[in-house]
Amino acid sequence: MGRNLQNGVRLRPVDLARGHGLSTQAVRNYEEAGILPAADRTAHGYRTYTPLHAGALRAFLALVPGHGHRTAASIMRAVNEGAADEAFRLIDESHAQLLEDRRTLRAVESALRDLDTATVSEPALSAPGGTFIGPLAGRLGIRPATLRAWERAGLVRPSRDARTGYRVYDEADVRDARLAHQLRRGGYLLEQIAPLIAQVRAAGGLEPLETALRDWHGRLSARARAMLTGAAELEAYLRERG
């Protein structure tokens, strides 16, 4: 690190800030958070930065899109503290999470394909006025208690028959139950399934969800590429530190 700190080039906070579209306060905040190495001070107490600090700032800003602000900050703190292995571990965790997100997306797509096939090949599970818990559970090959557990977890939201108080599952409830069934068979937990079914409801059904799935693919690809960009800038910073 000393090689760059002693190369004679001195930068003011405003120089770093302007080069990255930041405020000078943001630059000072990043230094105080350990994202940048500690700055030298002039005789009058003003901060002075070097090209090494500029490299640290570039690395941090490049890491944020792929890893998020908190993880990117932790990576930079670890590097600046000389704990490179900890920084690499944090990077590995982000890559592992991205892989898990890809697996989840594949599971959702597989479940939706199976759901489409079942919808075409099987008789309708929901009558015009809805269906009750016993017939629905029987057709799905599960116990009524399972449907009740899914209801408590928010996966299905049946109404109640005004006269008998029995649960009544309409077409949307049957769709959600089928999707939950496919995902459970794929090994997903109820707490993992709930937000996916919420997304189906927000999209207005399965067909509009296709756009959401394409967007999901795009976000994962963008995140993967951002991780590559962040890795390149971090490697450059590590070389500068020596």
Side-chain angles (χ1 to χ4, degrees), residues 98-119:
L98 179 60
L99 180 59
E100 183 59 31
D101 290 346
R102 288 191 184 281
R103 287 173 176 158
T104 299
L105 176 55
R106 286 198 299 269
V108 171
E109 290 177 322
S110 176
L112 293 178
R113 285 194 299 270
D114 293 343
L115 197 60
D116 285 340
T117 301
T119 300

Side-chain angles (χ1 to χ4, degrees), residues 40-48:
D40 286 339
R41 298 277 183 155
T42 68
H44 296 91
Y46 295 116
R47 289 176 171 87
T48 62

Side-chain angles (χ1 to χ4, degrees), residues 9-19 24 27-28 39 42 46-50 53-54 57:
V9 177
R10 290 292 179 265
L11 303 170
R12 300 168 300 168
V14 68
D15 297 324
L16 286 186
R18 286 174 178 167
T24 55
V27 172
R28 288 191 289 268
T42 68
Y46 295 116
R47 289 176 171 87
T48 62
Y49 297 109
T50 69
H53 293 90
L57 186 56

Side-chain angles (χ1 to χ4, degrees), residues 122 125 135-142 147 150 174 177-178 181:
E122 294 181 4
L125 297 187
L136 177 58
R139 291 303 301 270
L140 291 176
I142 60 178
L147 279 172
W150 291 357
V174 171
R178 274 178 151 157
H181 188 220

Side-chain angles (χ1 to χ4, degrees), residues 131-195:
T131 189
F132 295 119
I133 191 169
L136 177 58
R139 291 303 301 270
L140 291 176
I142 60 178
R143 296 178 301 160
T146 299
L147 279 172
R148 288 192 288 269
W150 291 357
E151 181 182 351
R152 289 192 296 272
L155 308 189
V156 290
R157 301 183 299 188
S159 59
R160 294 281 184 161
D161 183 86
R163 185 174 59 85
T164 64
Y166 293 159
R167 292 171 173 82
V168 179
Y169 298 82
D170 63 16
E171 185 177 346
D173 295 320
V174 171
R175 175 203 67 204
D176 294 346
R178 274 178 151 157
L179 182 55
H181 188 220
Q182 294 294 341
L183 291 169
R184 286 294 290 140
R185 289 172 63 185
Y188 283 81
L189 303 175
L190 298 186
E191 56 266 31
Q192 295 172 308
I193 297 171

